[in-house]
Amino acid sequence: EKGGYEHFMAKEIHEQPKVIKDTMTSRIIKNEKIRLDDITITKEQIKNIDKIYIVACGTAYHAGLIGKNAIEKLARIPVEVEVASEFRYRDPIINEKTLMIVVSQSGETADTLAALREAKRQNARVIAVTNVVGSSISREADDVLYTWAGPEIAVASTKAYVTQLIAMYIIALFFAENKGTLSNEEIEAIKEEMLLLPEKAEKLLQNEEDIKAFAEENHMHKDMFFLGRGLDYAVAMEGSLKLKEISYIHSEAYAAGELKHGPIALIEDGTVVIALATQESLFEKMVSNIKEVKTRGANVLAFAMEGHTEIEKTVDTAKYIPRTIELLAPVLSVIPLQLLSYYTSIAKGCDVDKPRNLAKSVTVE
Ligand code: F6R
């Protein structure tokens, strides 16, 4: 049942090239419009949306952060992302021009379901991005975009997250097409890069040994920091959550530019810092932030896009992800972070698939 792997998490990490592909199949086809056959929202309704809320919990929330960036950039609609347990209790401004996108692997998360119900009560339209056909969230939403990750057994979400990212890009492109905010060439260029993601993810999975070695060397640390800017910050948050969940190492994700406003006080000799520098337009800024922690003695493992070997001058260990456009980099950069938490958990002798205190589906509010 684990397909030859020692843990479900390893199996699910390795299924990512396939599930990325499955989630795009029949929806993203070269030189054709985005096909979302089951989505009933009309062009007119899309044009009328004046605000989108993406509401979710945990890893799904982190996918929502990438969704905000993609939708705002490609379709020019303002998006707020919020954790469901907060959204519900703050009397958010919702009306018939509001669209809510809920993201939930299980489709059963109580807070997310309650947020969906609140949005519907106030006449907003709801699109659900979920992995479970027939789940409560899929039944109650106006439209459903299924992620085709297949059953996810490990408590720590991996393959569901990357398919949620793909769903976010698809929605952003679909809205951009309907609103006319991008040219056909621009849309085709993004689609073309998306279609290359499965093979690039596969390539990353062939380089596990380095990450495993890093995990084995560093698993005894009590804290780790994850830094990034822009989309890398959202991926840093996901990497940090994964590490906490399954290795019980305290970790924090920080927007790299925010570090000097407080948390840099925590950096001392030997502090492990995982720095994400895949966003080309923010690369130089990120390198300056890495220098700030290096000066304080941090041990830095950095991830950049292939070709940026100059980063080796600044960091202790540099790793590369295959080149893609900035917007899509999270699909690739999250993979080594998943592997890092996986191997750290194993090095510490933790229960990888069933971490303490956690359940796969959180059906209490
Ligand atoms: C993290 C994790 C949780 C879930 C969260 C939402 O690895 O598994 O943070 O992402 O509980 O669950 P769903 O997506 O089922 O609503």
Side-chain angles (χ1 to χ4, degrees):
E1 46 167 10
K2 291 180 192 147
Y5 293 97
E6 207 179 325
H7 302 97
F8 282 108
M9 187 178 177
K11 170 174 176 272
E12 291 163 5
I13 287 173
H14 284 266
E15 281 171 347
Q16 290 180 118
K18 177 179 185 301
V19 299
I20 291 168
K21 185 158 178 272
D22 290 348
T23 302
M24 295 192 294
T25 299
S26 84
R27 293 168 170 161
I28 301 211
I29 300 167
K30 262 189 199 164
N31 299 316
E32 283 185 32
K33 292 220 169 302
I34 302 283
R35 263 205 238 154
L36 291 175
D37 293 339
D38 306 331
I39 304 272
T40 58
I41 190 168
T42 63
K43 195 178 193 120
E44 230 27 65
Q45 284 166 329
I46 293 171
K47 283 188 173 155
N48 275 329
I49 300 168
D50 67 5
K51 181 168 42 178
I52 297 176
Y53 285 116
I54 302 181
V55 180
C57 303
T59 287
Y61 165 74
H62 296 154
L65 296 170
I66 309 283
K68 169 189 164 78
N69 193 290
I71 295 169
E72 290 191 340
K73 192 179 163 103
L74 307 187
R76 309 305 293 161
I77 307 169
V79 183
E80 280 188 51
V81 196
E82 203 157 328
V83 290
S85 55
E86 286 298 312
F87 178 84
R88 293 176 51 201
Y89 300 110
R90 71 169 175 89
D91 195 12
I93 301 164
I94 303 172
N95 57 44
E96 56 296 334
K97 290 186 160 185
T98 311
L99 174 75
M100 178 185 271
I101 302 174
V102 291
V103 187
S104 174
Q105 186 284 127
S106 63
E108 302 297 345
T109 300
D111 282 312
T112 309
L113 181 59
L116 174 163
R117 288 181 178 153
E118 179 58 21
K120 291 206 70 177
R121 195 181 64 78
Q122 297 198 53
N123 302 317
R125 229 191 134 84
V126 180
I127 299 181
V129 172
T130 181
N131 197 40
V132 180
V133 179
S135 57
S136 305
I137 284 173
S138 76
R139 280 185 276 114
E140 295 193 28
D142 297 294
D143 284 310
V144 185
L145 186 78
Y146 285 107
T147 49
W148 295 120
E152 194 181 57
I153 310 293
V155 165
S157 182
T158 54
K159 63 174 181 170
Y161 172 77
V162 293
T163 62
Q164 286 161 356
L165 296 184
I166 298 297
M168 293 293 125
Y169 299 133
I170 291 175
I171 291 174
L173 285 170
F174 182 65
F175 287 175
E177 247 174 32
N178 279 279
K179 288 195 66 192
T181 45
L182 292 182
S183 69
N184 269 345
E185 292 70 41
E186 288 169 313
I187 291 180
E188 285 306 313
I190 297 170
K191 283 162 60 186
E192 207 166 301
E193 285 293 339
M194 285 179 76
L195 293 167
L196 294 172
L197 289 171
E199 65 188 67
K200 291 179 181 174
E202 194 65 68
K203 191 172 160 199
L204 264 173
L205 288 166
Q206 282 155 13
N207 276 324
E208 260 174 73
E209 288 308 311
D210 304 358
I211 301 288
K212 185 176 175 200
F214 184 91
E216 284 168 357
E217 261 164 51
N218 291 287
H219 73 275
M220 66 310 218
H221 283 273
K222 282 186 69 184
D223 316 272
M224 288 193 193
F225 286 82
F226 288 78
L227 302 183
R229 284 175 170 259
L231 293 177
D232 281 339
Y233 174 38
V235 177
M237 290 167 79
E238 175 58 10
S240 172
L241 175 64
K242 225 70 323 164
L243 188 75
K244 291 181 187 94
E245 276 186 288
I246 61 167
S247 79
Y248 317 143
I249 293 177
H250 164 245
S251 74
E252 303 221 22
Y254 256 93
E258 183 66 10
L259 203 68
K260 52 181 146 328
H261 299 284
I264 200 162
L266 295 168
I267 307 291
E268 51 186 21
D269 215 23
T271 305
V272 175
V273 172
I274 317 289
L276 293 158
T278 74
Q279 301 291 294
E280 311 239 77
S281 58
L282 299 165
F283 184 77
E284 296 305 327
K285 292 270 177 228
M286 192 58 209
V287 170
S288 317
N289 296 134
I290 296 174
K291 285 183 181 150
E292 290 164 1
V293 296
K294 271 309 299 168
T295 316
R296 275 90 187 171
N299 170 14
V300 180
L301 165 62
F303 293 93
M305 267 202 229
E306 263 166 13
H308 278 292
T309 47
E310 68 267 38
I311 200 160
E312 289 168 22
K313 289 197 296 266
T314 315
V315 306
D316 299 272
T317 316
K319 301 271 167 237
Y320 301 97
I321 63 160
R323 294 200 74 79
T324 182
I325 51 173
E326 283 191 348
L327 182 66
L328 304 178
V331 177
L332 302 176
S333 56
V334 75
I335 294 175
L337 303 189
Q338 296 166 341
L339 291 168
L340 177 66
S341 63
Y342 175 73
Y343 285 115
T344 305
S345 176
I346 292 177
K348 288 190 67 174
C350 302
D351 190 343
V352 174
D353 284 337
K354 285 198 169 49
R356 68 189 184 201
N357 308 344
L358 295 172
K360 185 66 185 161
S361 168
V362 184
T363 51
V364 290
E365 295 184 16

